[in-house]
Structure formats: C-alpha cells, structure tokens
Amino acid sequence: MRWLCLHGRGTSAQIFEMQTARIREALGRDHEFVFINGTVPTDPDVGAEAIADEFFGYVAHNIEQDQDLCDNMIEFVESQGPFDGIMGFSEGGTVGAMMLVEDSRHGSFGGLKCAVFFSAAPPFDPDLIRSGVVKYVDPDTDGVLLAIPTAHIWSRAAGADEIKVHQRLSQLCDERGREVFLHDLGHDVPGSKSDEGLAGTLRAIEHVIENAMDAR
C-alpha cells in the first residue's frame, strides 16, 4: 500500500519519518510512505528544535489561505499519487480527515482506502471552507461520514477535553471498520519508548489494512 503521511504542527516531514520509523519497519516492504511538509512556517513544537531546523503546519488559521488547503492537497495527490491510505499525526491527521471527507463526497482523491489517525481532531468542512465559512464537521449533526477502515490512536493520559476531540473524530467513522487503541505516551506516536504501545498500535493498523484489502 502507498501512504500519504502528514506531520503534526510545529514539526516536519523529517520528524514524522523519525516518529513512525518503528511502525514502518514492522509493516514491511509491501508499503511505501510519502512524507510531505506543510506549507505554513511555524514555531517549533516541544523538542522539535533538537531534531530539525524548519517547522511547518498545514493550517494557516487565515481564511484566505485555508480556503485553498483542500484544493492544494488535491493538486498534490493528482501529481504525486495515487495513494491507498493516509497516516497523520495531530494537525496532519486532522487535515487527512478533511481529505477523506472530501473524497467521500466528491471522489477528489481517487478513492482512499483507509487511514491511521494519531491524536487527531475533526476537520473543518471542506465544502464550506471554500466559501469562507469555518465549520468543523460534527458527528452529532453530520453523522457518519467515513465508511473506510480507520485506526484512531491517542493517549489515555490526555486531558478530558482532548480525549473528547479524539473520540468525536472516531465517531465520524463507521464503527464496523473502526479500530481504537489507547496508549500511555502522551501526545506522541508510539514507537521505541514503549513496546506495549507499539504492539497495540501495530495491531490496530494491521486490522485496518486487512479490512481495506478485503474491501477491494
């Protein structure tokens, strides 16, 4: 499978490569991972300065710039795709969710088959943002929007409000293809810091991959 990988805010493609190294190694050579930087320069996230020199995000929090975000991602996928799945951390996962909502409505990304979200939140509505309206999709009003298999991985040690945000993203996804795994590592991607966290993460991802392959 070919994965588009989207990093967290205040980090970079290079850092997300490092964060997912153990996961990618375990998944094996049948998978290709493409990492891209966001286009918005940002201050570094905690600890990022020790690893990289440049830091990015995808969301500008400026309506004029963010109106074009989804269309910019469509252009990237048209030139560098196709991709089978999305793997995203934090803001990168939220942007990935926006892409999946767009794909489910309009097929703009060629039919993405699955996604892995690390500590992500519901995205803004891609249709509304194009018209200058910032509204986040909400499972209470929008219902289930994503039918493809998804993995939702976050820290059980996160604050109550943060956990609620992660749960609401998972509720946008069909429960029949939804995997949820909670770890003890804080706002991070499970890897070398915890064998238990890595093992649980891999189980969730492998189930998602199996379900996506079965749906072909």
Coordinates of all heavy atoms in Angstrom, one line a residue, residues 93-158:
G93 N -3.2 14.6 11.0 CA -4.3 13.7 11.0 C -5.6 14.4 10.7 O -6.5 13.9 10.0
T94 N -5.8 15.6 11.3 CA -7.0 16.4 11.0 C -7.1 16.8 9.6 O -8.2 16.8 9.0 CB -7.0 17.6 12.0 OG1 -6.9 17.2 13.3 CG2 -8.2 18.5 11.7
V95 N -6.0 17.2 9.0 CA -6.0 17.5 7.5 C -6.3 16.3 6.7 O -7.1 16.3 5.7 CB -4.7 18.2 7.1 CG1 -4.6 18.3 5.6 CG2 -4.5 19.5 7.8
G96 N -5.8 15.2 7.1 CA -6.1 13.9 6.5 C -7.6 13.6 6.5 O -8.2 13.1 5.6
A97 N -8.2 13.8 7.7 CA -9.6 13.6 7.8 C -10.4 14.5 6.9 O -11.4 14.1 6.3 CB -10.1 13.8 9.3
M98 N -10.0 15.8 6.7 CA -10.6 16.7 5.8 C -10.6 16.1 4.4 O -11.6 16.1 3.6 CB -10.0 18.0 5.8 CG -10.5 19.0 4.8 SD -9.4 20.4 4.5 CE -8.1 19.6 3.6
M99 N -9.4 15.6 4.0 CA -9.3 15.0 2.7 C -10.2 13.8 2.5 O -10.8 13.6 1.4 CB -7.8 14.5 2.5 CG -6.8 15.7 2.5 SD -5.1 15.1 2.5 CE -5.0 14.2 1.0
L100 N -10.4 13.0 3.5 CA -11.3 11.8 3.4 C -12.7 12.3 3.3 O -13.5 11.6 2.6 CB -11.1 10.9 4.7 CG -9.7 10.3 4.7 CD1 -9.5 9.6 6.1 CD2 -9.5 9.3 3.6
V101 N -13.1 13.3 4.0 CA -14.5 13.8 3.9 C -14.7 14.3 2.5 O -15.7 14.0 1.8 CB -14.8 15.0 4.9 CG1 -16.1 15.6 4.6 CG2 -14.7 14.4 6.3
E102 N -13.7 15.0 1.9 CA -13.8 15.5 0.5 C -13.9 14.3 -0.4 O -14.7 14.3 -1.4 CB -12.6 16.3 0.2 CG -12.4 16.7 -1.2 CD -13.3 17.7 -1.8 OE1 -13.9 18.4 -1.0 OE2 -13.3 17.9 -3.0
D103 N -13.1 13.3 -0.2 CA -13.1 12.1 -1.0 C -14.4 11.3 -1.0 O -14.9 10.9 -2.0 CB -11.9 11.2 -0.6 CG -11.5 10.2 -1.7 OD1 -11.4 10.7 -2.9 OD2 -11.2 9.1 -1.4
S104 N -15.0 11.2 0.2 CA -16.2 10.5 0.4 C -17.4 11.2 -0.4 O -18.3 10.6 -0.9 CB -16.6 10.3 1.8 OG -16.9 11.5 2.5
R105 N -17.3 12.5 -0.4 CA -18.4 13.3 -1.1 C -18.2 13.4 -2.6 O -19.1 13.4 -3.3 CB -18.4 14.7 -0.4 CG -18.9 14.8 1.0 CD -18.8 16.2 1.5 NE -19.4 16.3 2.9 CZ -19.2 17.4 3.6 NH1 -18.5 18.4 3.2 NH2 -19.8 17.4 4.8
H106 N -16.9 13.6 -3.0 CA -16.7 14.0 -4.4 C -15.7 13.1 -5.1 O -15.4 13.3 -6.3 CB -16.2 15.5 -4.4 CG -17.1 16.4 -3.7 ND1 -18.4 16.7 -4.1 CD2 -16.8 17.2 -2.6 CE1 -18.9 17.6 -3.2 NE2 -18.0 17.9 -2.3
G107 N -15.0 12.2 -4.4 CA -14.1 11.3 -5.1 C -12.8 12.1 -5.5 O -12.1 11.6 -6.4
S108 N -12.5 13.2 -4.9 CA -11.4 14.1 -5.3 C -10.0 13.5 -5.2 O -9.1 13.9 -5.8 CB -11.5 15.4 -4.6 OG -12.8 16.0 -4.7
F109 N -9.9 12.5 -4.3 CA -8.6 11.9 -4.1 C -8.4 10.5 -4.6 O -7.6 9.7 -4.2 CB -8.2 11.9 -2.6 CG -8.1 13.3 -2.1 CD1 -9.1 14.0 -1.4 CD2 -6.9 14.0 -2.3 CE1 -8.9 15.3 -1.0 CE2 -6.7 15.3 -1.8 CZ -7.7 16.0 -1.2
G110 N -9.3 10.1 -5.5 CA -9.2 8.8 -6.2 C -9.6 7.6 -5.4 O -9.3 6.5 -5.7
G111 N -10.4 7.8 -4.3 CA -10.9 6.7 -3.5 C -9.9 6.1 -2.5 O -9.4 5.0 -2.7
L112 N -9.5 6.9 -1.6 CA -8.6 6.5 -0.5 C -9.3 5.3 0.3 O -10.5 5.3 0.5 CB -8.3 7.6 0.5 CG -7.5 8.8 -0.2 CD1 -7.6 10.1 0.6 CD2 -6.0 8.3 -0.2
K113 N -8.5 4.3 0.6 CA -9.0 3.1 1.1 C -9.0 3.0 2.7 O -9.7 2.1 3.2 CB -8.2 1.9 0.5 CG -8.3 1.9 -1.0 CD -7.5 0.8 -1.6 CE -7.6 0.7 -3.1 NZ -7.0 2.0 -3.7
C114 N -8.1 3.7 3.3 CA -8.0 3.6 4.8 C -7.2 4.8 5.4 O -6.6 5.5 4.6 CB -7.3 2.3 5.2 SG -5.7 2.1 4.6
A115 N -7.2 4.9 6.7 CA -6.5 6.0 7.4 C -6.1 5.6 8.8 O -6.7 4.8 9.4 CB -7.4 7.2 7.4
V116 N -5.0 6.1 9.2 CA -4.5 6.0 10.6 C -4.3 7.4 11.2 O -3.6 8.2 10.6 CB -3.1 5.2 10.6 CG1 -2.6 5.1 12.0 CG2 -3.3 3.8 10.0
F117 N -5.0 7.6 12.3 CA -5.0 8.9 12.9 C -4.3 8.8 14.3 O -4.8 8.0 15.1 CB -6.4 9.4 13.1 CG -7.2 9.6 11.9 CD1 -8.3 8.8 11.6 CD2 -6.9 10.6 11.0 CE1 -9.1 9.0 10.5 CE2 -7.7 10.8 9.8 CZ -8.8 10.0 9.6
F118 N -3.3 9.6 14.5 CA -2.7 9.7 15.8 C -3.1 11.0 16.4 O -2.7 12.1 15.9 CB -1.1 9.6 15.7 CG -0.6 8.4 15.1 CD1 -0.2 8.3 13.8 CD2 -0.5 7.2 15.9 CE1 0.4 7.2 13.2 CE2 0.1 6.0 15.3 CZ 0.5 6.0 14.0
S119 N -3.8 11.0 17.5 CA -4.1 12.2 18.3 C -4.7 13.3 17.4 O -4.3 14.4 17.5 CB -2.9 12.7 19.0 OG -2.3 11.7 19.9
A120 N -5.7 12.9 16.6 CA -6.2 13.9 15.6 C -7.6 14.3 16.1 O -8.2 13.8 17.0 CB -6.3 13.3 14.2
A121 N -8.1 15.4 15.4 CA -9.4 16.0 15.7 C -10.3 16.1 14.5 O -9.8 16.0 13.3 CB -9.2 17.4 16.3
P122 N -11.6 16.3 14.6 CA -12.4 16.5 13.5 C -12.0 17.7 12.6 O -11.5 18.7 13.2 CB -13.8 16.8 14.1 CG -13.8 16.2 15.4 CD -12.4 16.4 15.9
P123 N -12.1 17.6 11.3 CA -11.6 18.7 10.4 C -12.7 19.7 10.2 O -13.9 19.5 10.5 CB -11.3 17.9 9.1 CG -12.4 16.9 9.1 CD -12.6 16.4 10.5
F124 N -12.3 20.8 9.6 CA -13.3 21.7 9.1 C -13.9 21.2 7.8 O -13.3 20.4 7.1 CB -12.9 23.2 8.9 CG -11.6 23.4 8.3 CD1 -11.3 23.0 7.0 CD2 -10.6 24.1 9.0 CE1 -10.1 23.3 6.4 CE2 -9.3 24.3 8.4 CZ -9.1 23.9 7.1
D125 N -15.2 21.6 7.5 CA -15.9 21.1 6.4 C -15.3 21.6 5.1 O -15.2 22.8 4.9 CB -17.4 21.5 6.5 CG -18.2 20.9 5.5 OD1 -17.9 21.0 4.2 OD2 -19.2 20.2 5.8
P126 N -14.8 20.7 4.2 CA -14.1 21.2 3.0 C -15.0 21.9 2.1 O -14.5 22.8 1.3 CB -13.5 19.9 2.4 CG -14.4 18.8 2.9 CD -14.8 19.2 4.3
D127 N -16.2 21.6 2.0 CA -17.2 22.3 1.1 C -17.4 23.8 1.6 O -17.4 24.7 0.9 CB -18.5 21.6 1.0 CG -18.4 20.3 0.2 OD1 -17.5 20.2 -0.6 OD2 -19.2 19.4 0.5
L128 N -17.6 23.9 2.9 CA -17.9 25.2 3.5 C -16.6 26.1 3.5 O -16.8 27.3 3.3 CB -18.4 25.1 4.9 CG -19.8 24.4 5.0 CD1 -20.2 24.3 6.5 CD2 -20.9 25.2 4.2
I129 N -15.5 25.6 3.8 CA -14.3 26.4 3.9 C -14.0 27.1 2.5 O -13.5 28.2 2.5 CB -13.1 25.6 4.3 CG1 -11.9 26.5 4.8 CG2 -12.5 24.6 3.3 CD1 -12.2 27.3 6.1
R130 N -14.4 26.4 1.4 CA -14.1 27.0 0.1 C -14.9 28.3 -0.1 O -14.6 29.2 -0.8 CB -14.5 26.1 -1.0 CG -13.5 24.9 -1.1 CD -13.9 24.1 -2.4 NE -12.9 23.0 -2.6 CZ -13.1 21.7 -2.3 NH1 -14.2 21.4 -1.7 NH2 -12.2 20.8 -2.5
S131 N -16.0 28.4 0.7 CA -16.9 29.6 0.6 C -16.6 30.6 1.7 O -17.3 31.6 1.9 CB -18.4 29.2 0.6 OG -18.7 28.6 1.8
G132 N -15.5 30.3 2.5 CA -15.1 31.2 3.5 C -15.8 31.0 4.8 O -15.7 31.8 5.7
V133 N -16.4 29.9 5.0 CA -17.1 29.5 6.3 C -16.3 28.5 7.0 O -16.1 27.4 6.5 CB -18.6 29.0 6.0 CG1 -19.2 28.6 7.3 CG2 -19.4 30.1 5.3
V134 N -15.9 28.8 8.2 CA -15.2 27.8 9.0 C -16.1 27.1 9.9 O -16.7 27.7 10.9 CB -14.1 28.5 9.8 CG1 -13.3 27.5 10.7 CG2 -13.1 29.2 8.9
K135 N -16.4 25.8 9.6 CA -17.3 25.0 10.4 C -16.7 23.6 10.5 O -16.4 23.0 9.4 CB -18.7 24.9 9.9 CG -19.6 24.0 10.7 CD -21.0 23.9 10.0 CE -21.9 23.0 10.8 NZ -21.4 21.6 10.8
Y136 N -16.5 23.1 11.7 CA -15.9 21.8 11.8 C -17.0 20.7 11.7 O -18.2 20.9 12.2 CB -15.2 21.6 13.2 CG -14.0 22.5 13.3 CD1 -14.1 23.8 13.7 CD2 -12.8 22.0 12.9 CE1 -12.9 24.6 13.7 CE2 -11.6 22.8 13.0 CZ -11.7 24.1 13.4 OH -10.6 24.9 13.4
V137 N -16.7 19.6 11.0 CA -17.7 18.6 10.9 C -18.0 18.0 12.3 O -17.1 17.9 13.1 CB -17.3 17.5 9.9 CG1 -17.3 18.0 8.5 CG2 -15.9 16.9 10.3
D138 N -19.2 17.6 12.5 CA -19.6 17.2 13.9 C -20.5 15.9 13.8 O -21.5 15.9 13.0 CB -20.5 18.3 14.5 CG -20.9 18.1 15.9 OD1 -21.0 16.9 16.3 OD2 -21.3 19.1 16.6
P139 N -20.1 14.9 14.5 CA -20.8 13.6 14.4 C -22.3 13.8 14.8 O -23.1 13.0 14.4 CB -20.0 12.6 15.2 CG -19.2 13.5 16.2 CD -18.9 14.7 15.4
D140 N -22.5 14.7 15.7 CA -23.9 14.9 16.2 C -24.8 15.4 15.1 O -26.0 15.1 15.1 CB -23.9 15.8 17.4 CG -23.3 15.2 18.6 OD1 -23.2 14.0 18.7 OD2 -22.9 16.0 19.5
T141 N -24.3 16.3 14.2 CA -25.1 16.9 13.2 C -24.9 16.3 11.8 O -25.8 16.2 10.9 CB -24.9 18.4 13.1 OG1 -23.5 18.7 13.0 CG2 -25.4 19.0 14.4
D142 N -23.6 15.9 11.6 CA -23.2 15.3 10.2 C -23.3 13.8 10.1 O -23.3 13.3 9.1 CB -21.8 15.8 9.9 CG -21.7 17.3 9.8 OD1 -22.5 17.9 9.0 OD2 -20.9 17.9 10.5
G143 N -23.3 13.2 11.3 CA -23.4 11.7 11.3 C -22.1 11.1 10.9 O -21.0 11.7 11.0
V144 N -22.2 9.8 10.5 CA -21.0 9.1 10.0 C -20.7 9.5 8.6 O -21.5 9.4 7.7 CB -21.3 7.6 10.1 CG1 -20.1 6.8 9.4 CG2 -21.4 7.1 11.5
L145 N -19.5 10.0 8.4 CA -19.1 10.5 7.0 C -18.1 9.6 6.3 O -17.9 9.7 5.1 CB -18.5 11.9 7.2 CG -19.4 13.0 7.7 CD1 -18.7 14.3 7.8 CD2 -20.6 13.2 6.7
L146 N -17.4 8.8 7.1 CA -16.3 8.0 6.5 C -16.6 6.5 6.7 O -16.7 6.0 7.8 CB -15.0 8.4 7.2 CG -14.6 9.8 7.1 CD1 -13.2 10.1 7.8 CD2 -14.5 10.3 5.7
A147 N -16.7 5.8 5.6 CA -17.0 4.4 5.6 C -15.8 3.5 5.5 O -15.9 2.3 5.7 CB -18.0 4.1 4.5
I148 N -14.6 4.1 5.2 CA -13.4 3.3 5.0 C -12.9 2.8 6.4 O -13.2 3.5 7.4 CB -12.4 4.0 4.2 CG1 -11.9 5.3 5.0 CG2 -12.9 4.4 2.8 CD1 -10.7 6.0 4.3
P149 N -12.0 1.8 6.4 CA -11.4 1.4 7.7 C -10.5 2.5 8.2 O -9.7 3.1 7.5 CB -10.6 0.1 7.3 CG -11.3 -0.4 6.1 CD -11.7 0.8 5.3
T150 N -10.6 2.7 9.5 CA -9.7 3.8 10.2 C -9.2 3.3 11.5 O -9.9 2.5 12.2 CB -10.5 5.1 10.4 OG1 -11.7 4.8 11.2 CG2 -10.9 5.7 9.1
A151 N -8.0 3.7 11.9 CA -7.4 3.5 13.2 C -7.3 4.8 13.9 O -6.8 5.8 13.3 CB -6.1 2.8 13.1
H152 N -7.7 4.8 15.2 CA -7.7 6.1 16.0 C -6.8 5.7 17.2 O -7.2 4.9 18.0 CB -9.1 6.5 16.4 CG -10.0 6.6 15.2 ND1 -10.2 7.9 14.7 CD2 -10.6 5.7 14.4 CE1 -11.0 7.7 13.6 NE2 -11.3 6.4 13.5
I153 N -5.7 6.4 17.3 CA -4.7 6.1 18.3 C -4.4 7.4 19.1 O -4.0 8.4 18.5 CB -3.4 5.5 17.7 CG1 -3.8 4.2 16.9 CG2 -2.3 5.2 18.7 CD1 -2.8 3.8 15.9
W154 N -4.6 7.3 20.4 CA -4.3 8.5 21.2 C -4.0 8.1 22.7 O -4.1 6.9 23.0 CB -5.5 9.5 21.2 CG -6.7 9.1 21.9 CD1 -7.0 9.1 23.3 CD2 -8.0 8.6 21.4 NE1 -8.3 8.7 23.6 CE2 -8.9 8.3 22.4 CE3 -8.4 8.3 20.0 CZ2 -10.2 7.9 22.2 CZ3 -9.6 7.8 19.8 CH2 -10.5 7.6 20.9
S155 N -3.6 9.0 23.5 CA -3.1 8.8 24.8 C -4.3 8.8 25.8 O -5.1 9.8 25.8 CB -2.1 9.8 25.2 OG -1.8 9.7 26.6
R156 N -4.4 7.8 26.6 CA -5.4 7.8 27.7 C -5.0 8.8 28.8 O -5.9 9.1 29.6 CB -5.5 6.4 28.3 CG -4.3 5.8 29.0 CD -4.6 4.6 29.8 NE -5.2 3.5 28.9 CZ -4.4 2.6 28.3 NH1 -3.1 2.6 28.3 NH2 -5.0 1.7 27.6
A157 N -3.8 9.3 28.8 CA -3.4 10.3 29.8 C -3.7 11.7 29.3 O -3.4 12.7 30.1 CB -1.9 10.2 30.0
A158 N -4.3 11.9 28.1 CA -4.6 13.2 27.7 C -5.7 13.8 28.5 O -6.4 13.1 29.3 CB -5.1 13.2 26.2

